[in-house]
Amino acid sequence: GWDINQEETSRQSAKNIRVKPVQSELEKLLKLAWRTPGKTGFIVTRNLLTNTFQQHPIKIGDDTYKRLQELARPNLDVYFGCAEFNTADNRKGANVYVLNGFHVDLDCGDDKAASGKGYTDWTAAKDAVYAFCALANLPKPNVVIKSGGGIHAYWYMTTGLDPSAWYEFAVKLKATARALNFLADPSRTSDGASLMRAPGSFNHKYDPPRPVEILKCSDHLIPNDVMLNAIEEAFVKHAQPIDRTDDSDDVTTHASAKNRSKGMTLHGSHSLKELAAMLNEVDPDSDYHRWFSVLSAIHHETGGSEDGFDLANTWSARGQKYKGEAEIRIKWNSLDGHQGNPITVGTIKKIL
């Protein structure tokens, strides 16, 4: 597995890094995350020496863990895809088959805490997860991982959800987190194609590298009705959606309470779920002009709302050119008060 005993971290000492032949911590997690034989899971690695990424599609089944052993090498950042995918062709949202649980990503550090986007350290982040569950009356997560730079928490259910159903509840979970000031990264919470750091690997953002460790991993799955009813009730109680503008049941057609306080309204006729489906077919790594045109279309269609920003940031984060939320925020805010001819959702439709 990826239980790596890293004696030194420099390139020159790479040969001194040993991989112990023990049960992979990632294997424990993937037994919960990937369950459908014949479908595809994705491992993504970053080679530290060449700074290149490589996607490794893995057929779910008897050979899954053999493939994991083949990838157990030093000098790699290792990530896993949260979803099961229909094929090995790509890791885009449109290829997602099912998701077996929900996830949140909490960042840590003095800078994150000072900016209101995270917690001082991993213990504070872990405590915040359980405090959020208590306040929102949600089940406790059955998997908690110390990511080296924060905390990842997962709620795995007895039965997986198709992408549309999962997204509906993930958006409600994200809205509840925002309403209760639970500082989970919103771009992760509702992104079904997310990559998360693999337990048993190392987070090489730090010197020395920090281990990615399982703090809790229970195979006691949460019944679907328990989890989904809890999310729904928490959303209704805490997120306070504004009055609906049409007969749709999709909560994502409405601005959050935060946006309402700013007087923001949605300009377009498409729900966030519909926009997300379109964006699944658009490459965020296209040229800058096309990327900014898509960003502008999202901004116009959502009235510059926070939910619209989260969607734009989540879409941008799927690309290799993504430089972080701060850069997206600057571009997004530059579109406020735009007086010229708007770039509409028709721009996105022309790309499809």
Side-chain angles (χ1 to χ4, degrees), residues 80-85 91-96 98-105 154 162-164 166-174 185-196 276-277 279-280 284 307 310-319 322:
F80 77 98
C82 294
E84 298 179 17
F85 293 83
R91 201 177 48 78
K92 295 181 179 180
N95 192 31
V96 171
V98 74
L99 291 112
N100 291 305
F102 298 95
H103 52 264
V104 293
D105 178 359
Y154 303 84
D162 67 72
S164 178
W166 180 89
Y167 183 76
E168 176 184 350
F169 284 94
V171 167
K172 292 178 179 179
L173 179 64
K174 178 171 67 175
D185 181 349
S187 68
R188 295 289 186 200
T189 306
S190 60
D191 182 8
S194 271
L195 291 174
M196 304 286 264
L279 292 175
N280 283 336
D307 286 334
D310 289 344
L311 179 62
N313 187 51
T314 297
W315 169 68
S316 299
R318 293 174 185 165
Y322 181 71

Side-chain angles (χ1 to χ4, degrees), residues 233-252:
E233 291 172 6
F235 172 76
V236 171
K237 181 177 181 180
H238 299 289
Q240 300 177 336
I242 65 173
D243 291 338
R244 293 177 173 174
T245 57
D246 55 34
D247 294 330
S248 171
D249 288 333
D250 180 11
V251 68
T252 61

